[in-house]
Amino acid sequence: MSPRIDDVMKLCCELSANQQIKTAVKHSGKGAMTAGGLAFAGGLVGGPLGIAVGGAVGGLLGCWMTSGQFKPLPQVIREMTPGQQQKLYEDIMAILGSIDWTDVAQLLAIVMGNAALQQQVTAALLSYIHKELQAEVHYVD
């Protein structure tokens, strides 16, 4: 991997770590469908009380089904293929434009020191993760 791509990947990891972003790749939908499906079935069988019971049971089952599926975004970035990293690099470079840096520390200082630039890079990163990896993004408190 070229040093510039590596620098941009480290920048993306740092931004997402600072904001404590986690992702759920292709699994959150299953948990939601389970919870909703059991709430619906409970409503058909038991009326309003059945909805509550079905929703509670479905929510617990959905939680169990998706446990361990949420990963910190820096981990997801590090696990991307070289092709995926190249595409993310191109998306981020469209924002960074002609900014020149000598090492990752300087790149981090430039982006972290400019709130607007930091927000644009973060938005591009999250857009890429959602669009290309079909991942849901969650901020951790």
Side-chain angles (χ1 to χ4, degrees):
M1 182 172 2
S2 84
R4 291 185 63 85
I5 292 176
D6 193 42
D7 288 351
V8 170
M9 293 307 110
K10 288 177 182 173
L11 168 68
C12 291
C13 287
E14 184 67 26
L15 282 173
S16 58
N18 282 348
Q19 297 178 26
Q20 296 184 1
I21 302 170
K22 288 194 174 190
T23 60
V25 181
K26 301 179 186 175
H27 295 288
S28 289
K30 285 187 209 175
M33 293 280 287
T34 300
L38 285 178
F40 178 72
L44 290 175
V45 173
L49 182 57
I51 292 172
V53 171
V57 171
L60 290 172
L61 184 59
C63 177
W64 174 77
M65 288 173 54
T66 60
S67 67
Q69 301 299 325
F70 291 84
K71 295 181 182 179
L73 190 50
Q75 180 182 348
V76 172
I77 293 167
R78 286 189 295 271
E79 293 173 354
M80 290 188 323
T81 66
Q84 290 171 326
Q85 289 184 350
Q86 176 67 37
K87 174 69 172 104
L88 176 58
Y89 169 78
E90 291 167 3
D91 289 356
I92 300 300
M93 286 306 296
I95 293 163
L96 297 178
S98 62
I99 292 175
D100 194 28
W101 68 89
T102 56
D103 59 16
V104 70
Q106 185 182 24
L107 177 61
L108 282 167
I110 292 168
V111 174
M112 298 300 216
N114 182 327
L117 186 58
Q118 184 178 349
Q119 186 176 27
Q120 290 174 337
V121 171
T122 301
L125 169 61
L126 297 180
S127 174
Y128 175 84
I129 295 298
H130 181 72
K131 178 178 63 174
E132 298 295 327
L133 302 181
Q134 289 117 27
E136 295 180 28
V137 178
H138 305 274
Y139 292 89
V140 179
D141 293 328

